[in-house]
C-alpha cells in the first residue's frame, strides 16, 4: 500500500494526532467508564488541547463511537423514532435491517456483540454508554409506563433476531429477504414502543 | 474429594463408561453434526453396544443434551406450550424466567450463548439440533402462517432479554424481580405464539 498524496498546506501529523486521541480515549473510557471519562482527560492523555479533540470529533459521544468503532449512533436512532407513533415500529425495523444488510456495519455490530458476551469490562463500558445516551432518551421519546423496560425489550428483540439470523444462522430467519425481516420485526417493535 | 462409596452389586466401571460415551458423543456430534450423528456411531466410537447408550441416555436427543451440557430440553419446552392458546405466552415466560433464576441453569445457558457467539462449529451444531428438535415442533404446535419465523422471533426475544439482563446488565431490566420479568415477557411471547 502507498500513502495517499498529501495535500499542500495540510496540517502535518494530523492523521497520527487523530489516532493518538483515539488511543488515549480507549484507555480513558476503559479505566474510567463512559460517564466519568472527560474530553479534557482524553486530551491530556493524548498530549493535546481539548479544543483539538472537539475539532476532530465534536463531542464525547463521538469520541466514544469512534474509539470503540461502535456502529450505532444514538442520535441517528433517535431520529428514527421521532415522528408519528403509529409508524415507529416500521421506521425502526427498516433502519435496523438497513444497518444489518451492509456487511461492514453488520460485522462491527456482531464484533461488539461478541466482545460484550465474552468481556465484562466491555459490557460495563457499553452499558455505561447505552443506558444514558440511547435507552433513557428513547424511553423519554416513547413515553408511557415502563418506557425504559419496553425500550430494552425492543433492543433485546433486535439483538436476539440478529443473533438468530447472523450468528446461529437458523432457518427460516437466516434466509429471509430485507422486506420479510422488516415485516417480522416491525409489529413486535410497534407493540413495545407505539 | 473422596470417591462415593460403591453400592454392592453395582456394575464396575459404569461411571467411566458413561463418561466415555459422552466423550465419543462430543467428537461424533462435532464431526458429523446433530442430524448425521447416530447412536450406533457413538457406541462404536466408545467401544460399547448401542443398547448401552440407550440404557444410559434413552435417545440421541438426550445424549446430545448431556454431551453439550445443554440446559434446555426441547421436550420440556413443548410441554409448556401445550394447552390453551390464550395462556401460552405466560406459561413460556414463567418457564424461561424460572430457568434463568436458578444460577446453575443460567450459567449453562450463558455459556452456550457465549460459545455460539465465538465458535462457528458450535453454532452449526446447535443450529442443527435446534431447528428440527425445538423450532419445527414448536411451530407445528403453534400453527398459523410464518409459524417457524414467529417461533424464532420468540426465542430471539428470550435470548435478547437474557443478554440485556445478565450479560450487558442494563437497567432497569437487570434489577427486575421474577414477576416483573414475566409480566414484561409474557405479552411479547403471546403476540408471537398465541
Amino acid at each position: 500500500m502507498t500513502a495517499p498524496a498529501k495535500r499542500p498546506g495540510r496540517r502535518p501529523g494530523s492523521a497520527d494526532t487523530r489516532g493518538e486521541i483515539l488511543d488515549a480515549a480507549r484507555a480513558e473510557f476503559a479505566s474510567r467508564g463512559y460517564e466519568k471519562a472527560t474530553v479534557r482527560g482524553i486530551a491530556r492523555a493524548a498530549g493535546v488541547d481539548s479544543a483539538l479533540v472537539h475539532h476532530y470529533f465534536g463531542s464525547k459521544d463521538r469520541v466514544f463511537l469512534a474509539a470503540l468503532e461502535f456502529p450505532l449512533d444514538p442520535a441517528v436512532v433517535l431520529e428514527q423514532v421521532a415522528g408519528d407513533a403509529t409508524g415507529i415500529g416500521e421506521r425502526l425495523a427498516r433502519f435496523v435491517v438497513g444497518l444489518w444488510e451492509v456487511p461492514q456495519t453488520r460485522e462491527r455490530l456482531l464484533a461488539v456483540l461478541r466482545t460484550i458476551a465474552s468481556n465484562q469490562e466491555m459490557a460495563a463500558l457499553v452499558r455505561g454508554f447505552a443506558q444514558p445516551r440511547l435507552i433513557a432518551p428513547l424511553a423519554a421519546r416513547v413515553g408511557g409506563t415502563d418506557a425504559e423496560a419496553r425500550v430494552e425489550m425492543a433492543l433485546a428483540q433486535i439483538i436476539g433476531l440478529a443473533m438468530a439470523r447472523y450468528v446461529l444462522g437458523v432457518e427460516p430467519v437466516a434466509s429471509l429477504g430485507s422486506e420479510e425481516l422488516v415485516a417480522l420485526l416491525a409489529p413486535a417493535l410497534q407493540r413495545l414502543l407505539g
Side-chain angles (χ1 to χ4, degrees), chain A residues 85-108:
Chain A
T86 55
I88 194 173
E90 169 138 3
R91 287 199 305 280
L92 193 54
R94 210 166 275 289
F95 169 70
V96 162
V97 170
L99 283 182
W100 290 350
E101 300 292 88
V102 178
Q104 280 159 303
T105 331
R106 175 171 74 234
E107 282 313 311
R108 277 307 307 157

Side-chain angles (χ1 to χ4, degrees), chain A residues 138-150 192-194:
Chain A
L138 265 174
R141 196 70 67 89
V142 165
T145 53
D146 296 327
E148 293 206 357
R150 284 186 288 111
L192 290 161
L193 306 177

Side-chain angles (χ1 to χ4, degrees), chain A residues 19-82:
Chain A
E20 280 159 20
I21 293 171
L22 289 177
D23 285 343
R26 273 185 285 272
E28 186 83 353
F29 284 124
S31 69
R32 299 174 63 83
Y34 170 77
E35 284 286 15
K36 290 188 178 165
T38 61
V39 167
R40 182 189 294 261
I42 291 165
R44 194 186 309 121
V48 302
D49 193 87
S50 296
L52 195 63
V53 177
H54 283 292
H55 166 75
Y56 276 119
F57 298 101
S59 69
K60 187 171 87 168
D61 269 25
R62 292 189 178 278
V63 182
F64 181 89
L65 298 174
L68 273 75
E69 299 181 65
F70 199 80
L72 197 65
D73 183 339
V76 181
V77 180
L78 282 166
E79 279 172 26
Q80 306 305 316
V81 300

